[in-house]
Amino acid sequence: MFKNTIILVCLLVFSGCASKSALSVFDGDKLYEKGLEYSMVGDIINSLETKAIINATYLNSTDSVKYNNEFHNFLVGIYITEDNKEPKDMFLNNKKYVLTLNDKEIDKVEELSTTNYLWEHIPIKNPYAKYYIVSFKKEKNKNSLNLKYENINLGKVILSFQGE
């Protein structure tokens, strides 16, 4: 009995000395790790029902070599529960919903394809969402970034990021 207790105590002591961090399970995928750090999710809820979900990753902070330019760049996933039936009017193209950054409209948008290198590194992936890279012109002396997704009738969600 005493021998089993000593073995148990030794196992607990040595397992506590392991140098694994929570992010070590991602096998060194630095883009995924940074993306997870700079990602947020928000919902538009009306009458206790989720109407839309947005997840956004601030790309300027995840890959500064590629995305440190004159724009604030975001990887955005959009899912709307009761979306339009026509594909051309769905997701980010749904006119009932508006995405802005500090109340400014999108300057550039690119639909993310499954062949894009970012696809495998999306930190919070919703299988029902469509993903885009959206860009907004940088404003001078503006470090507080409020990404707002809004439906005038149903509500809004604001995701706040620290700009670079």
Side-chain angles (χ1 to χ4, degrees):
M1 176 72 170
F2 183 73
K3 187 177 181 180
N4 290 340
T5 305
I6 290 176
I7 292 172
L8 182 60
V9 169
C10 288
L11 286 173
L12 288 174
V13 168
F14 288 118
S15 67
C17 296
S19 63
K20 287 198 172 229
S21 72
L23 294 177
S24 66
V25 298
F26 300 123
D27 295 329
D29 186 346
K30 297 293 183 198
L31 189 57
Y32 182 90
E33 290 174 21
K34 287 192 130 241
L36 194 57
E37 184 178 348
Y38 295 101
S39 293
M40 300 183 100
V41 178
D43 307 343
I44 294 177
I45 298 173
N46 186 275
S47 300
L48 301 175
E49 290 183 28
T50 300
K51 298 298 183 179
I53 301 171
I54 179 172
N55 52 1
T57 302
Y58 185 49
L59 293 173
N60 294 53
S61 294
T62 61
D63 188 353
S64 59
V65 172
K66 182 168 182 162
Y67 291 106
N68 192 10
N69 54 25
E70 69 271 13
F71 295 96
H72 292 294
N73 302 286
F74 294 88
L75 174 60
V76 175
I78 301 286
Y79 172 69
I80 302 169
T81 57
E82 298 170 5
D83 210 348
N84 293 320
K85 301 295 182 218
E86 290 293 320
K88 66 179 178 60
D89 297 325
M90 295 174 71
F91 303 103
L92 194 58
N93 298 321
N94 188 322
K95 301 297 183 215
K96 295 177 185 173
Y97 291 84
V98 178
L99 180 66
T100 59
L101 181 69
N102 297 335
D103 295 320
K104 305 287 186 206
E105 292 184 7
I106 298 171
D107 288 301
K108 293 190 322 184
V109 63
E110 172 191 342
E111 187 174 322
L112 192 70
S113 71
T114 57
T115 59
N116 187 302
Y117 83 101
L118 282 176
W119 185 262
E120 293 301 319
H121 305 282
I122 296 174
I124 304 170
K125 196 179 289 184
N126 178 344
Y128 303 106
K130 179 142 326 215
Y131 287 87
Y132 305 88
I133 297 173
V134 295
S135 303
F136 302 87
K137 276 270 196 211
K138 285 184 178 176
E139 297 178 64
K140 292 184 187 219
N141 304 323
K142 199 72 162 176
N143 287 331
S144 178
L145 305 176
N146 293 312
L147 192 65
K148 180 170 58 173
Y149 193 53
E150 180 175 24
N151 179 300
I152 295 171
N153 298 319
L154 301 175
K156 65 183 172 188
V157 62
I158 298 174
L159 307 176
S160 296
F161 296 88
Q162 184 66 33
E164 291 190 354

